[in-house]
Amino acid sequence: MTDSHETATGEFATREDVVDARGGSGPASALPSAPSPAPSSSPSPAHSSAPSFAPDSLVLNRKLPLWYQVSQSLRASILGRPQDASLRLPTEEQLATHYGVSVLTMRQALKELETEGLISRHRRRGTFIEPRARRATPVRLLGSVDAIVAQQSGDATTVLGHGTVPVPGDLAEFFPDCGEVVSFRRLRRDGESGEPTNWAENAVRPEVAARIDLTDLERWPMTKVLHDIVGVKISRITDTVEARLADPITADLLQVPLLSPILHYTGVTYDEKGRVVDVARIRYRGDRFSFSLTMEAR
C-alpha cells in the first residue's frame, strides 16, 4: 500500500476554530462537502444529499505526540458521527490543513486508525470509514457486588507478583491505621482470544491479605475472593473511572502504544465496620471497554 491518494474534488465548506501549525486557533480550513460516489469496488459513501464528514476541531498540546492527538481526535469524530454522514474522509492534505499539522504527521495518524480497523485506504479512490468498525464493548457497573464479580469472571488471570509495601502516598487516606499494605498485581486476558484487556493492582489490608491464596486470584476476581473465600463482609464498594494515557508499564502489559487512551478504574472496598480492606486500581484498554452507570429511582 502506498501513501499516495487522489485528491477529492467538489465544493468546499469552511469550518471555524481550526488550529494552525503552531497549535493555536487559526483560520478556518476548507473541507469537502459530500463527495461524488466512489467506484463500486470501494465502500459505498453516504448519499450525495447526506452531510459531509467533517472532523471536530482540535487544540494541539505541543508536549504530546501530534500524530497521537490527531488520531484520537479523528477517532472520536468518526465514532460520534451522525448516522447519515458521508463515509468518505477528506484527503490527507485537507485533513493536515484542518488540524494544522504536516502531511507526514497526518499519514501517521491515519495509519493508526487503519490498524485499529476504523478506516480503509484505497489508492486512487480515497479513505473511507468502515461502517462496521468495532465499537467499545460496555462494562456496566450495576451497583451490586455480585454484578461486579460477574463482569470480571470471563477473563483469564495471571498473577504478576505480590508483596508487602509501604502504603502509597495517594492511598494513605484509605489506610490511616496501616503503615503497610500487601500489593497484588494481575494481568487479565480475553478468555477466547488471549488478548490482554486490563491489568490490576490491589492494595489489601495485611491481616486480610494473609488469608488470600494466590491460586484463587488466578481463578476469580479479588472481590469474589474477599467475599466468598476470605469471608469479608463487604458493606459497599465505591467506583471511580477516569480517562488517562497509557504509561510505559501499562503500554507494555496491554500491548498498546505509549500514551494511547485507557480507562483507569479505582474501586474502594469497605467491610461492615467501615474500614477499607482493598483498593483496586485497574487499567482497561480504551479500545476494548467503556463504562456506563445505571441509576434507578425507587
Side-chain angles (χ1 to χ4, degrees):
M1 181 183 299
T2 68
D3 284 322
S4 176
H5 299 275
E6 184 180 45
T7 301
T9 60
E11 298 296 323
F12 288 80
T14 60
R15 289 178 57 85
E16 298 178 350
D17 300 326
V18 179
V19 297
D20 61 17
R22 297 181 299 278
S25 180
S29 63
L31 291 176
S33 61
S36 57
S40 58
S41 58
S42 66
S44 298
H47 190 272
S48 58
S49 62
S52 62
F53 179 81
D56 296 333
S57 301
L58 173 67
V59 177
L60 295 171
N61 182 342
R62 312 307 293 189
K63 295 181 179 180
L64 296 175
L66 298 183
W67 69 266
Y68 167 73
Q69 297 177 71
V70 170
S71 70
Q72 296 310 304
S73 176
L74 185 53
R75 180 183 188 277
S77 296
I78 289 173
L79 293 180
R81 71 189 185 280
Q83 291 186 350
D84 59 347
S86 171
L87 294 180
R88 187 170 188 169
L89 291 181
T91 64
E92 288 177 348
E93 292 79 7
Q94 291 163 338
L95 286 171
T97 299
H98 173 75
Y99 285 113
V101 298
S102 69
V103 172
L104 183 62
T105 296
M106 195 66 237
R107 286 177 183 169
Q108 190 174 3
L110 291 172
K111 181 63 176 177
E112 180 72 14
L113 298 181
E114 183 181 28
T115 299
E116 188 177 342
L118 286 178
I119 63 173
S120 59
R121 311 182 72 195
H122 304 268
R123 186 179 181 185
R124 294 189 296 272
R125 294 201 299 273
T127 301
F128 297 85
I129 299 169
E130 286 291 331
R132 294 183 177 86
R134 184 179 68 178
R135 305 224 178 194
T137 303
V139 173
R140 295 179 176 85
L141 306 181
L142 302 179
S144 74
V145 172
D146 290 339
I148 293 174
V149 169
Q151 295 279 4
Q152 300 173 348
S153 295
D155 295 330
T157 303
T158 301
V159 177
L160 301 176
H162 77 291
T164 301
V165 298
V167 175
D170 59 338
L171 300 186
E173 63 177 301
F174 300 115
F175 300 100
D177 58 335
C178 295
E180 296 178 325
V181 291
V182 179
S183 174
F184 296 88
R185 301 169 77 245
R186 294 164 296 135
L187 176 67
R188 295 193 184 105
R189 298 180 180 272
D190 182 88
E192 296 182 1
S193 68
E195 183 179 49
T197 60
N198 64 85
W199 80 278
E201 288 181 295
N202 290 80
V204 182
R205 184 174 289 273
E207 63 271 23
V208 175
R211 308 202 300 271
I212 294 175
D213 190 322
L214 293 182
T215 58
D216 290 333
L217 288 180
E218 294 177 346
R219 301 175 58 190
W220 296 298
M222 177 65 81
T223 304
K224 180 176 178 65
V225 171
L226 292 175
H227 185 266
D228 294 352
I229 300 176
V230 176
V232 174
K233 295 181 179 180
I234 297 176
S235 62
R236 72 182 190 277
I237 299 175
T238 62
D239 301 312
T240 304
V241 180
E242 306 172 76
R244 294 191 182 181
L245 302 179
D247 55 41
I249 294 176
T250 297
D252 180 60
L253 289 174
L254 300 187
Q255 299 177 17
V256 297
L258 182 65
L259 299 180
S260 60
I262 62 168
L263 293 177
H264 188 281
Y265 162 88
T266 302
V268 183
T269 300
Y270 296 81
D271 65 12
E272 79 282 7
K273 297 179 180 179
R275 299 182 309 168
V276 173
V277 295
D278 169 46
V279 178
R281 292 179 290 185
I282 309 176
R283 290 82 165 175
Y284 291 91
R285 282 180 55 153
D287 61 344
R288 291 299 306 272
F289 294 103
S290 64
F291 287 86
S292 64
L293 176 63
T294 300
M295 301 181 67
E296 299 181 359
R298 294 188 180 277

